[in-house]
Each structure stands twice: as C-alpha cells, then as structure tokens.
C-alpha cells in the first residue's frame, strides 16, 4: 500500500497484555501539571530495566477536571497488579505529593480494580490529615508546607496493552526524527494511550534475544540499523534510508492503540523524505494482539 | 539577619554523605538533550522511595562538549556505589541509549572511582559494535535504528553531599512558588549541584519519623505547614505566611552546595512578598555537614 | 455575586468594533508553527501604538488542517480594512514566508471580505512560482531556499470586536499573575478569540485620557493601582489586594468573547488568593458592546 | 576549505551599517522576561517591510542584572536614529510596560547616543510616577495595576552592523533546519548579536531586485532554491542538496558578528548531512563590511 508516495508495509505490530493505571494530576497551571507528570513518569520507558512503563496521555483544560484546574492524565504500567500498586505509591508519593500545587484524582473511577493509594498516602499527614470531597469524589486533604495536598482515595487500573508500534524510515536522521515527533504530538491529542520512551520516541529499537552475546535478553535490531546495512544479511533498510525511529504505544484497549497508530502514521507521512512505514512483530508467536497496518490507513 | 527586608534565620542546613555520578549527555539540539535528561533523571526525587536521586546540573554549549554538540550534565545519586552502578546502567541504558540523537560522556573523568558502564552497554550492539575515539576519549559506537550511539567507556563517581536545603516563606502560595522557581533557575547556572525534586522544588517537606503513625519513616513537617498553623504547638509559621517551599540540593562537595544555596537564596528574596528564609536540620545530630545561612549571604 | 468566595462585581466590559483577519499557519511541527505565529503576532498588543493587535487563537492537530500538518490559528486586527490588508501582507510576507517549514491558509474562507494576499505574495517567486491546490483550496507555490512555500490565494476578514476584558484582583502579585496565566490558557482552548497582550496579560491597564498630562491619549488607570491606593480618591482597590491584572480579549463575534470571558474567569477564580473579578468600561458611553459579568457566570 | 567533511566556500558575507539599541528587560522569572522580549521583538525580521529588525541577544542570571532578577538583552535596529527612538518608545511602551513583572534597563549605558525613553514613558504615570535609583541607575517608578513599573531614564544606541550571514546546505529539509536551529542556539550564548528572523532562521533568503517583476524590491534568490534547481541556469545547489537555510546576524560591531558567524557555523556542521556552508554577498558592491568565511574557521 502507498499513501502520499510513502510505502505502508503489509505487516503488523505485535503487542502484549500489561496492567495500566491512569491518574489525573491537576495543578495551578498546565506547566506545573506537566512538571509533576514528567517527574512521575520518568525512568519509565521499558519494563526490561525500568520499574514501570509510564508517560503522559493527554492534557485537559480546567473545564474537564474535578477541581476546575488544568490537568494531565498519566499512565503507569507494569506486568502485575502488585508491582503496579507499589509503583503508584512510590511515584505519586515521591513525585506528585512533593510537586508544587498538584492534586491527584482517579483517572479510572469506573474500573473494577481499585488501589487505595490515596488512603495510604494520607498517613504522610501524621494525624493532621482529613477527609473531604471534590465534585463528588472522596478525597484526603494532607497539610503540607505549600498548603494542602488533595488526593483521591482510590486509583483504578485495568488490563491493557503494551507494545503497539510502528517504524518510520527517513532519508535523513532529522527527517525521520521530525516525523516521529509530529506523530507523538498527534497521539498526545488522543484518549487512552501513551508513548513511554523519551519524547515518545525509540531511537534504538531492539530484538528479543541475541545473535552473539548469550547473556543479553534484548539487543539491537540489526536488520533495521542503517549504519551496518552493508554488513547485515537480510537487512530491512532500503537504499537511501538513513535512519529509522520506532514509536511504542501502550493503551487501555485495542481501539485506543489502533487510533493512536493511525493518527501517528498519518502525521508522520506528511513529513517530506519519509519513505516507508512498517511495524515490529515476532511472526505472531509471542504477543496476544496484532495491529495490521493495512487496517489502519 | 535581614536582607532587603527579608529575615534570614540564624540556623543551618544539615546534610549527609551520598555517592554521586555525573554524566554528560549531548544531542543534536539542546531540546533533545533535555528530553533525554528529563527521562533519565525522572522518578528520582528522594531515596526514601525512589531508586535514586537525580537531576539536571546544567546545560552547556557546543563549544564545551567533546563532540561539538549541545549538552547537559546530569547527576545520579544513591547511598552506595553498587546501587549507583546499577542505576547508571538502567537509566543510561533505558533512557539515554533509547533517546533520539544522544551520546554519553563521562562527566567525572578525573574521579578515582570509575564504572565501566559504556563497556557494559556496548553489548546491546550484539557484536556489531566497535571502539572509537572522540576528542581523546575512549568510546564505543553501537549501531542502532537511528544511526550509531556513542558512549564513553567509563563514568566516574565521587563521595558527595545530599540534603543541602533552604526554606522560602511567602505571603501567598504563588509568591513562594515563584521565589522557589527563580532560585532553581539561578542554581541551574552553577556547577556541581542538582535540585532533584519536581521542577527543583519540594512542596511537602518532611520530618524524619512520626508523631502518630509508627509505621512511617517520614511524615509532614507540621511545624512548617501553614494550613494547620493554629493547631500545631511550636509552629514555625509567622503570621501572614501562607506557603513554604523547600529546595533540596545535592552536590559534589561543600563548596558547590554553599554556592548554590547562596545563589538560590539571593534570587528568592528578590521576589516581593517573600518574608523569611530558613533551613532544615536535626539539631546537628544526624548529618555530617552543616551549612549556616549567616555564612552564605 | 460570589463564586467560590470570590466577588464577581456587577459591572460590564465595554468593547468596540474592529476588523479581524484569521490566518491558519501550518508547519512541520507544532513548535515551528508556534515560532512563526509568535513572530507574526509580535509588536501587536494595542493599536494605540502598535500597527495591529494580533495573537494566537488556538493550536490544531494535523487532522484539522488542509495539509495534514500541525497548525495554529492567528488573528490580526486593525480598525480599517485597508490597514488590515497592509498588515497581512507585511506580517505574513516578513514573518511567515520567512519562517521554517510554514504554509499559510485562509482562516476565514466563508467571510464575504477577502484579501488576495496570497496572490500578492506570489510575486516573491519572481516568475518561478506556480498555482496548485491543497484540499480543494487554490494555492500558490513559491520556490524558496528551504523548498516551496505554499500560500492560499485569499485571506478572509470580518467585522469583529476588540476590548472584551476582565480584571483579576489578588492577595499578591504572583497570585494575580498565576490566575491571569491560567485564564489565558483556558481561553486558548476556545475558538474565535485572542488575548493580544504579552503572554495574553495586561500588567498596566490604562484609562482613556489623562488627569495631568494633556498630551497623553491613555494613562495609568490609577483607581486600580494598588501601590498608590492611599493617595487616590475613589480607589477601587480593596484592602489586602496587592495586584490587579487585566485580560483584553478580541474576537470574531459577541458569542466568542462571552465564552472566552466565562472560561477565563472560571479558571482565574480557581487560584487561591484571588478575591475579586471586575471589568473595565466607560459607563457605556464609548463602546458599542457590553459584556455583563453576571450574564457569564 | 573543508571541516569535518563539510565544504566551507571561499566567499564572504556582505553587511551594512544600521543603528542598534540594546535593552535589558528583567522580570520575576526567566520565562516572563522571555515572554516580554518575544512580544517586543516580534514583527521585526527585516526592515524591508517591518518597522524594525529586532531579536533576543542573550539571557542573563539574577547575578548579572541591576535588580537581582533574571533578565534578557534585546536589540532593536533601524536605519536611522529617529526611527529607532520611535521604535523604542512604541515597543517598550506597548510590549514591555504592559508585560507582567518586567523592568527596563539601559543595555548600553556607555554609548554616546542616549534616548530618554524612560523619561518619556513616565508620563503614563499621569503625575503619580516618581524618580528612584536601582544599583546607581536613575529610574522612574510608574504605578500600574500589577504594582510599579521601573524604567531607566535613558536607553543607549550605537552605529552597528546588519546582514552578517551564512547559508547551510543539507541533504534534507530537516537536516538543514536542525543545523540552523543549533547554530542559533550557539549564537544566543554570545554577546552583542541577534538573529532577527523567526526562530533566528531565514527559510526564504532573497536577492535584491528582480528578474521578472519590476515592482519588486526583493525576490527569491533562485540560484539557492533546490526545488527549481533544474530550471535555473547557474544554480548554486549541488546535487543531493534538498534545502538551504540562511542565518542573518545583526550585531554591535565587527568582532561580535565574526564570533557569532564562527560559533554558528561550527555548531551547524556538527549535524550529519550538512554538506556545505556559504554566505551571501553582492560582489562587494553594496555593503560596507565583508566577513570572509576562511577567516572565521
């Protein structure tokens, strides 16, 4: 398939189950909400060696939040619910409770699974905390040095999906990078997904396992590495391609991932010099979910 | 002591030994260097519940880096060298190797203690990596999807200091917050220090231990909480003070901490409505280092 | 009237007719669109001494623009259509045609009044330009150093409204400023309005005419100046108010101004320490439009 | 000449005399200083159709300003001193006096030529203004709605230089643009120069005069337009070059321009895919100043 002269390979992204919590952080301004969100979702690109995968889902205006202030939805993802609760406690307790002007609301009040993270964080108040209500939600108010920190009693979680993805091929590194950036921006306008890597972008996509170093769980995906194109049998790099970036997308359900992949790909191919879009999979052997590019565009 | 009508309390910040590594990240632009640095230093406010304390030290121009590109120095801190090496491997491997256009250089080439982090990260190359040199430094070049990732063989570390601090009292939350922000900015112009909390600022300074909840290691520092001023015996909140922010400063040595505290305090007291500066200590019983405010200003 | 303990004075904003053009700038990324928009709308706060009033209306995603790229709507306003056409030619020709990666589309294709700005700008192509079409719109393609600049043939204009406004009273300068900032952010999510002053905010609201200096057309509105509260008979500054900021809002019609004022006020009063909202008028003697605060909230 | 495999053409930038004023804007935070500076220097790319050329020179920390607050130096340039004074009055009066938290200081106190801009702006105070001193400088304090606006009595100006420049050739639009961006960043670290175009970059460099349209003073520099390379006799576009960006540099003297060109070129050629640097001139017939590339690098 070809769109605007860009080849869309007939392949699919292979993705996996993961547990996802969604948290709404509000603050005095959008900028302070973002600062808290960046700290809380940092060191959160891949569960290979990070304690969680995490990222900003989207920003919301004051008319869309329980306390009438600007807000940002973040997602935190781990393989199991137990580790997820730990990550919520640590990341919200250390990176949002400590951040200027923030409050924390349940981003998934409808979910069956609920962690009483707010209940646990209230003990920081050392007996001076109290219960209150904001827009019908049960909150704890904890006196702190800047004033009072408000946190909702529960934070919900669902079984979601990790590893939605696509690859962008460009005629220069900066072409492919700009396309990746604009794809991340487009996805940030949507509900339900995050792109957990730095700036939403993967510069060094990996393959599971190794060719040479037996002690490695994941190594460079050499078939997609332009600088060694001439040395790799079966290289996937067409002539003239100088760089490849991958977007990895986690989301609450298949529909969210699909919409994000579609929006991201459409934005990416508007950048002149992008020549091809493909996606990463394991031949369907490992992942439970398949997102076929031809179904999206 | 009083400066510009602002009371500087005659007290001291009490600080502790910590191990610190310093890493120079370069990238195609300052913006991409910052994005990698934010991811790599996120979830890094306090070792109470974060795997490390981490932050941006300062930005440098292309004329100050080995590869002639814009750069940013970050610091990563833990109590011991073993955990520090783990954090370096995880944070650089997951958050910088994966970030667009970055390279990694040793930020402490003179330090006695050196971790061969670059040597270990090169195995991601799965046999396709090679050795090279940039500006006299021994580097590994790892083929990745965007091109080649360059990382220096070693990353140095020193015994540094955590917990330098000061408190800003303001006549409104936004007064105190603006003063804290401008103090963080001033410190970011200096060498050798980081302010690891979100945006460099602590909204919820804590005391060691508890009054009521025996299972808590750290709880709200109620004597500095304005909203419960009337309920707390021995409150430290003067009349008219509506908010207090703390800056926590880690640094490579006493001189760096002192300069950062001085620059931060001087910037903070230029904001109208700031009425008092003080600092946090344990009466000198716990920490090895004391930074007296009267010696700074 | 009182909302959340904030007094909303029973008064009105008095506003005036102005001519408004609306331009859609697209670019490779949102950031480059913003850079062009800031240059094109700069030196554009008030027609008292600026050649136009201008500002960013809102950002749009790639799915909302004719060329599938991120975009930003700007407005340019002057009292007459002739000066408006001049401003369009100068600002688009000097600040958008010259800006990296931009294209220009008609932001008011339905308006009766149309200026053939694109037709006139094409002469920069010096004979090498050509006609083309994007999403059904008639465009000119001008070869330039970065590639090709695309501009739509016509840019529309309407008779709109200038000078919608409200004032925010705060217990500190930073309180009032943060409230003003968050109000500007909320308005930027809406259609049809701009806040042309720096960062969307007026720090020095004026009265028409003078008390002392006969040669001045506009001077400080001393009744709303907190620092001289004790010297001004009939001061409007309540005790405890330390700062006042004004938002000035231009928009395409009354409905747009009303929605912006409402969204801005609601966002502002969520900031603790804001005590009062009022608005500026001339007793109804000068302006054609009146926006009563009690009708908004 | 070749540096890092990039051709540096043996040619020169031809530049012209211009009058330059330099203003120091301070504010509560760096961000508010920047917002004021962007508004005050907007619509200021080229005197061909803008009322001035203007831009941000550099940011300074609180330890480098008379009032101990963060600051930014801007330059405003016109051909004559009379128009320069008008621009100062209009841009400072409309875009800085109105901007949150700002103060204005003389950025050239040593210059022989001084405009009493602060003296003239004080009349906005309508009789309530007063004289004061900051760090030995004579200031006026004008009561305004946010508090008091401080402005120094005089603003200095010198005979400077406009039109320092160089061109960056890249293998893709995004390559050349990233190189231009990083060059602008490098120049912003230096004293005495501005890059007045949007984001510091010219996407549509022009030639004086016309080939086809007699009524045009400046038209596209077709020999440097890649998209019409095959149609232009004597094209300067080498095979494989897809985009060219120009940086235009104004500065207070020859030394400042030279240092800026050198820093910008060195930063630009660190971006992979940049193949050539050249500069724009009129064969030495029009401009008083010549900056030879071979003398810089």
């Amino acid at each position: 398939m070809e769109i605007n002269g860009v080849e869309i390979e007939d392949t699919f992204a292979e993705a996996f189950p993961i547990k996802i919590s969604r948290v709404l952080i509000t603050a005095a301004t959008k900028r302070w909400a973002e600062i808290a969100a960046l700290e809380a979702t940092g060191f959160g690109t891949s569960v290979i060696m990070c304690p969680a995968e995490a990222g900003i889902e989207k920003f919301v205006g004051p008319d869309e939040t329980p306390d009438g202030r600007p807000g940002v939805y973040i997602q935190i993802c781990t393989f199991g619910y137990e580790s997820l609760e730990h990550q919520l406690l640590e990341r919200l307790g250390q990176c949002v409770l400590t951040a200027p002007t923030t409050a924390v609301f349940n981003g998934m009040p409808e979910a069956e699974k609920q962690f009483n993270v707010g209940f646990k964080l209230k003990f920081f108040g050392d007996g001076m905390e109290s219960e209150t209500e904001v827009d019908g939600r049960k909150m704890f108010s904890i006196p702190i040095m800047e004033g009072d920190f408000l946190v909702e009693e529960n934070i919900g979680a669902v079984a979601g999906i990790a590893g939605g993805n696509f690859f962008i091929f460009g005629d220069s590194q900066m072409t492919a990078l700009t396309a990746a950036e604009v794809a991340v921006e487009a996805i940030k306008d949507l509900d339900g997904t995050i792109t957990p890597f730095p700036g939403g972008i993967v510069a060094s996509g990996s393959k599971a396992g190794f060719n040479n170093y037996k002690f490695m769980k994941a190594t460079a995906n050499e078939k997609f590495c332009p600088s060694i194109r001439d040395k790799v049998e079966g290289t996937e790099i067409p002539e003239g391609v100088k760089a490849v970036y991958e977007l990895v997308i986690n989301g609450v359900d298949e529909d969210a991932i699909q919409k994000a992949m579609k929006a991201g790909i459409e934005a990416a191919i508007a950048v002149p010099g992008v020549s091809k879009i493909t996606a990463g999979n394991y031949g369907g052997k490992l992942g439970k979910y398949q997102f076929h590019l031809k179904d999206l565009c």
Side-chain angles (χ1 to χ4, degrees), chain A:
Chain A
M1 187 170 44
E2 226 183 82
I3 305 181
N4 291 348
V6 180
E7 181 193 350
I8 313 290
E9 192 164 7
D10 183 9
T11 187
F12 61 94
E14 193 171 340
F16 304 83
I18 203 164
K19 303 297 185 283
I20 298 181
S21 253
R22 196 169 176 255
V23 180
L24 170 60
I25 301 168
T26 64
T29 64
K30 181 185 176 184
R31 194 169 62 97
W32 288 112
E34 184 174 20
I35 285 169
L38 286 171
E39 185 71 46
T41 62
F43 189 30
T45 63
S46 160
V47 288
I48 294 178
M49 285 173 76
C50 293
E53 299 183 4
I56 287 175
E57 181 186 312
K58 63 166 182 172
F59 290 92
V60 287
D63 56 329
E64 300 171 83
T65 62
D67 61 0
R69 304 194 305 162
V72 57
Y73 279 94
I74 63 167
Q75 293 183 15
I76 299 175
C77 319
T78 67
F79 279 136
Y81 280 129
E82 198 180 344
S83 57
L84 186 54
E85 184 176 14
H86 278 290
Q87 281 293 301
L88 283 169
L89 275 168
E90 291 170 6
R91 288 177 182 261
L92 301 183
Q94 296 277 287
C95 306
V96 186
L97 166 57
T98 64
T101 79
T102 52
V104 166
F105 294 93
N106 189 347
M108 288 176 158
E110 315 287 311
E112 201 177 316
K113 186 76 185 174
Q114 296 287 338
F115 299 114
N116 63 347
V117 174
F119 176 82
K120 284 172 179 154
L121 289 178
K122 78 168 183 180
F123 294 109
F124 183 75
D126 202 16
M128 305 301 286
E129 72 279 5
S130 59
E131 204 181 304
T132 184
E133 214 184 82
V134 175
D135 202 29
R137 291 165 182 244
K138 185 174 173 186
M139 311 286 294
F140 295 102
S141 177
I142 306 172
I144 59 173
M145 278 168 42
E146 71 163 3
D148 293 296
F149 176 71
L150 272 75
V151 56
E152 194 166 344
E153 183 179 33
N154 293 318
I155 302 289
V158 297
I161 301 168
N165 71 77
F166 61 93
F167 295 9
I168 302 164
F169 289 52
D171 64 358
S172 76
Q173 198 184 60
M174 293 305 134
T175 293
L177 180 53
T178 305
E181 181 183 348
V182 79
V184 170
E185 282 174 11
I187 292 170
K188 211 170 267 180
D189 287 337
L190 304 178
D191 288 336
T193 47
I194 61 168
T195 52
F197 279 84
I201 301 167
V202 191
S204 59
S206 57
K207 66 178 183 287
F210 57 88
N211 296 326
N212 284 295
Y213 299 132
K214 301 185 183 179
F215 48 89
M216 296 294 288
K217 285 183 194 160
T219 53
N221 197 349
E222 74 278 356
K223 289 186 180 169
F224 290 93
C225 292
S227 71
I228 50 170
R229 178 178 179 259
D230 296 340
K231 301 179 190 165
V232 174
E233 212 176 331
T235 182
E236 298 278 356
I237 301 297
E239 201 178 325
V241 167
K242 298 282 178 51
V244 178
Y245 286 98
E246 181 181 355
L247 263 74
V248 170
I249 303 164
N250 290 4
V252 295
D253 56 30
E254 284 175 277
D255 184 55
I257 302 263
Q258 249 162 351
K259 282 180 177 148
M261 287 178 64
K262 177 177 160 60
I265 291 170
E266 285 175 356
I269 63 179
V271 174
V274 171
S275 57
K276 182 176 172 175
I277 301 291
T278 186
N281 62 59
Y282 309 92
K285 283 176 282 184
L286 297 181
K288 184 175 160 185
Y289 303 99
Q290 297 186 5
F291 299 94
H292 288 261
L293 299 186
K294 68 178 177 197
D295 298 341
L296 301 173
C297 301

